[in-house]
Amino acid sequence: MYPLSKDIAQNGNGKHLNGRTSSVGTQHSDLLHSPLLVNTERNGSFDDGSFCPMFEEAWNALRRSLVFFRGQAVGTVAAMDHSSEELNYNQVFVRDFVPSALAFMMNGEPEIVKNFILKTLRLQSWEKTVDRFELAEGVMPASFKVHRDSVRDLEILIADFGETAIGRVTPVDSGFWWIILLRAYTKSTGDMSLAELPECQKGMRLILNLCLAEGFDTFPTLLCADGCSMIDRRMGVYGYPIEIQALFFMALKCALVLLKTDAEGKKLADRIKKRLTALTYHMRSYFWLDLKQLNNVYRYKTEEYSNTAVNKFNVMPDSLPDWVFDFMPTRGGYFVGNVSPARMDFRWFCLGNCVAILSSMATPEQASAIMDLIEARWDDLVGEMPLKISYPAMEGHEWRIVTGYDPKNTSWSYHNGGSWPVLLWLLTAACIKTGRQEIARRAIELTESRLMKDNWPEYYDGKSGRYVGKQSRGNQTWSIAGYLVAKMMLEEPSHLGMISMEEDKQVQTAMRKSASWVG
């Protein structure tokens, strides 16, 4: 394999924690051994004898992004772009590291992932405050960086829990991605010892207790603020965004596999199962939209008070946007962006829908319908560079009101209809699970035509993704890793097992006993 790159120097000020290293070995499973080990002998050659210079260069770029703490690789920086050092692209983000972690595990290098899991777990134990307000114990950091104190000759970790982020919002998704990654590590290596460590079990319990806490909610979904996920700026996704609900669903399913079956674990598992049953019903019933359901919403009556109400959230039919009627194909459907009282956000959000497929939050029929939609609306959702993070873009008065005149989220840019290459790995995984690999191949071919030539941008602008994003960073690590994961997964589909979940039989039984869901 390629040798690890030298330490990446970083600077910063803030809280710190003296880090400790771990030398615990891992056990490898033969079930998911990758035939795509990247080493100096292979030079980017695939099993079919073909050669891909872009694949080789992507691995070189990914290794250059590695961050070291006391001699151990603990993550990858968000971007190797030093054009604007005041930004936080020199940090290791939890969500950003996921595709990097998958790439390393597919390449037979799980130790990097193990180090990352343990280091972020230690950061979770910090006392966390934002403007003198103490955050919940289970919150995971958005990111961290390594600071080298030359005076004391010491390396320390500096974490960000939202106190320096745009809008000062604590990430809700970090904890979910952490649990999902822990399960992926266990699935890849066949090594349960990491997940069974008391500190890992405690870390999971803290995250889950935070999300499963009882309150005034009448919905099983999680109430969230704008900026709490990959869409980290004001974009009108406050409430119950599909991305968070799908990640929440998947993290709950992963936790059921990882929790110990002791008294405390069984008690928490029972709570998870009850929540999963309710969440499954809720998401499939109220978030799903296809042509039939769209026509139902179009004909909704309002002000229905009884238990027999059809329009349970009092959604106003006049709130249906004009674009959705043309966007919805005869065959196809998707999970809408948000549902709450008197509100249904009809926008398409890629990450949430792909995770819905991978987690089996979507039924097989719904998963197939999402793929049908992507095919039918290829020009809108894929265009010249995969993949639209959201569709359509907000413009004019709506953009001004919803984003607050955000100059970064202008129409068809960044999170407002921009195209993000990192989403390629999620699309590819969803395609493999649904048996639609031809969609993934087509998307990968588009990516290979430009991504490396454009210096691995963070995102693209324009209705078809034709232009490199106006504030896009180059050498964006998750754009690089997303391509690698997509390529390796398509070459060896068994890698899908790291990140895919099947529907739980108990949930299926409970769903059959409950009232029939719409769609």
Side-chain angles (χ1 to χ4, degrees):
M1 297 181 184
Y2 292 133
L4 296 178
S5 59
K6 295 181 180 179
D7 290 10
I8 299 172
Q10 299 180 59
N11 295 306
N13 297 301
K15 304 172 189 174
H16 65 273
L17 173 74
N18 290 339
R20 297 176 183 175
T21 58
S22 172
S23 58
V24 179
T26 56
Q27 302 170 5
H28 293 273
S29 169
D30 293 330
L31 296 177
L32 286 174
H33 178 72
S34 171
L36 274 176
L37 291 178
V38 178
N39 52 51
T40 53
E41 286 76 24
R42 292 195 66 136
N43 287 325
S45 296
F46 292 97
D47 288 347
D48 60 3
S50 61
F51 177 77
C52 183
M54 180 172 169
F55 185 82
E56 181 185 17
E57 177 52 34
W59 267 110
N60 289 331
L62 182 61
R63 295 201 184 280
R64 287 193 296 269
S65 73
L66 280 167
V67 172
F68 290 80
F69 179 65
R70 299 190 173 184
Q72 289 187 324
V74 294
T76 52
V77 292
M80 291 291 289
D81 185 337
H82 306 297
S83 60
S84 186
E85 293 293 349
E86 74 276 7
L87 298 177
N88 55 2
Y89 285 83
N90 65 339
Q91 298 191 26
V92 180
F93 280 80
V94 173
R95 75 173 69 96
D96 290 41
F97 181 67
V98 171
S100 296
L102 295 176
F104 283 120
M105 287 190 291
M106 290 177 186
N107 199 45
E109 301 176 72
E111 195 70 19
I112 300 169
V113 182
K114 184 176 184 178
N115 294 339
F116 172 86
I117 289 171
L118 291 173
K119 289 296 176 287
T120 48
L121 186 62
R122 285 185 58 81
L123 297 175
Q124 183 197 37
S125 66
W126 276 14
E127 181 179 326
K128 305 172 281 284
T129 58
V130 177
D131 291 337
R132 301 183 183 181
F133 178 72
E134 188 171 334
L135 303 182
E137 190 178 5
V139 172
M140 277 285 184
S143 63
F144 68 87
K145 60 183 175 180
V146 177
H147 174 63
R148 289 172 173 81
D149 189 332
S150 58
V151 176
R152 295 184 294 169
D153 192 25
L154 180 69
E155 289 183 343
I156 57 178
L157 295 179
I158 301 173
D160 177 17
F161 291 91
E163 68 266 32
T164 63
I166 296 291
R168 302 299 187 267
V169 178
T170 297
V172 176
D173 63 337
S174 288
F176 299 151
W177 279 122
W178 186 87
I179 293 175
I180 292 168
L181 189 57
L182 179 60
R183 186 260 180 185
Y185 172 89
T186 302
K187 188 76 173 178
S188 173
T189 63
D191 176 18
M192 281 293 297
S193 64
L194 177 62
E196 290 175 348
L197 289 175
E199 52 264 46
C200 279
Q201 291 289 311
K202 180 182 177 182
M204 276 191 291
R205 289 197 301 268
L206 288 174
I207 295 169
L208 295 169
N209 285 328
L210 181 61
C211 301
L212 297 172
E214 296 178 353
F216 290 98
D217 292 324
T218 55
F219 312 139
T221 42
L222 280 183
L223 183 63
C224 302
D226 253 326
C228 65
S229 61
M230 178 180 175
I231 298 177
D232 59 4
R233 300 167 76 94
R234 181 176 166 186
M235 269 285 291
V237 298
Y238 60 89
Y240 304 91
I242 180 62
E243 178 178 335
I244 290 298
Q245 312 315 319
L247 288 172
F248 178 39
F249 183 94
M250 191 166 191
L252 289 178
K253 293 191 69 173
C254 290
L256 280 179
V257 178
L258 299 171
L259 286 170
K260 284 187 174 181
T261 55
D262 54 16
E264 194 171 8
K266 286 181 179 178
K267 185 177 180 180
L268 187 54
D270 288 340
R271 292 173 64 194
I272 291 173
K273 290 174 184 176
K274 290 180 181 178
R275 187 63 168 264
L276 274 174
T277 300
L279 187 59
T280 302
Y281 175 83
H282 186 91
M283 297 304 296
R284 293 177 180 177
S285 298
Y286 306 123
F287 274 68
W288 180 252
L289 190 71
D290 55 17
L291 188 60
K292 178 183 176 182
Q293 179 62 2
L294 178 59
N295 197 65
N296 290 339
V297 176
Y298 178 69
R299 292 168 53 82
Y300 268 167
K301 293 181 175 64
T302 60
E303 310 302 324
E304 295 180 307
Y305 291 93
S306 69
N307 291 330
T308 60
V310 175
N311 185 5
K312 294 184 178 181
F313 294 92
N314 200 36
V315 174
M316 306 299 164
D318 287 344
S319 69
L320 278 162
D322 292 339
W323 63 264
V324 75
F325 294 99
D326 294 327
F327 180 71
M328 182 63 69
T330 302
R331 291 181 54 195
Y334 64 104
F335 290 97
V336 297
N338 219 313
V339 176
S340 58
R343 181 192 181 204
M344 186 175 284
D345 183 348
F346 294 93
R347 284 177 294 175
W348 154 271
F349 290 93
C350 179
L351 192 151
N353 276 273
C354 287
V355 173
I357 293 174
L358 296 176
S359 65
S360 288
M361 188 179 84
T363 65
E365 295 77 16
Q366 289 172 334
S368 181
I370 293 171
M371 291 292 108
D372 288 339
L373 176 82
I374 292 172
E375 277 198 305
R377 297 293 175 256
W378 184 267
D379 290 342
D380 294 325
L381 302 180
V382 181
E384 297 184 30
M385 175 55 67
L387 196 67
K388 287 293 179 195
I389 188 173
S390 63
Y391 181 89
M394 292 178 289
E395 301 177 288
H397 181 67
E398 182 186 24
W399 166 79
R400 290 189 287 271
I401 295 298
V402 174
T403 73
Y405 286 78
D406 188 348
K408 194 167 186 178
N409 270 328
T410 52
S411 299
W412 308 108
S413 180
Y414 203 52
H415 296 141
N416 189 15
S419 298
W420 291 69
V422 63
L423 297 172
L424 181 66
W425 81 264
L426 283 161
L427 174 66
T428 301
C431 287
I432 294 172
K433 183 166 184 177
T434 55
R436 308 285 279 273
Q437 285 91 329
E438 69 282 355
I439 297 177
R441 291 190 186 96
R442 188 178 172 190
I444 290 173
E445 287 176 3
L446 280 174
T447 303
E448 289 180 332
S449 69
R450 290 188 57 193
L451 192 61
M452 186 173 72
K453 295 176 183 177
D454 293 335
N455 194 32
W456 310 99
E458 179 184 16
Y459 65 94
Y460 287 77
D461 286 353
K463 287 186 177 182
S464 61
R466 176 173 291 182
Y467 308 103
V468 174
K470 59 185 175 182
Q471 295 189 41
S472 179
R473 296 292 172 267
N475 286 302
Q476 187 78 19
T477 303
W478 68 355
S479 295
I480 296 165
Y483 164 72
L484 285 172
V485 171
K487 193 82 170 174
M488 297 168 78
M489 196 177 293
L490 196 60
E491 176 77 6
E492 181 46 66
S494 65
H495 290 315
L496 178 67
M498 291 187 204
I499 202 70
S500 177
M501 308 286 291
E502 297 306 316
E503 185 164 7
D504 186 82
K505 292 182 179 179
Q506 291 182 324
V507 172
Q508 284 180 311
T509 302
M511 287 291 292
R512 282 195 293 267
K513 292 179 180 179
S514 66
S516 60
W517 47 270
V518 178

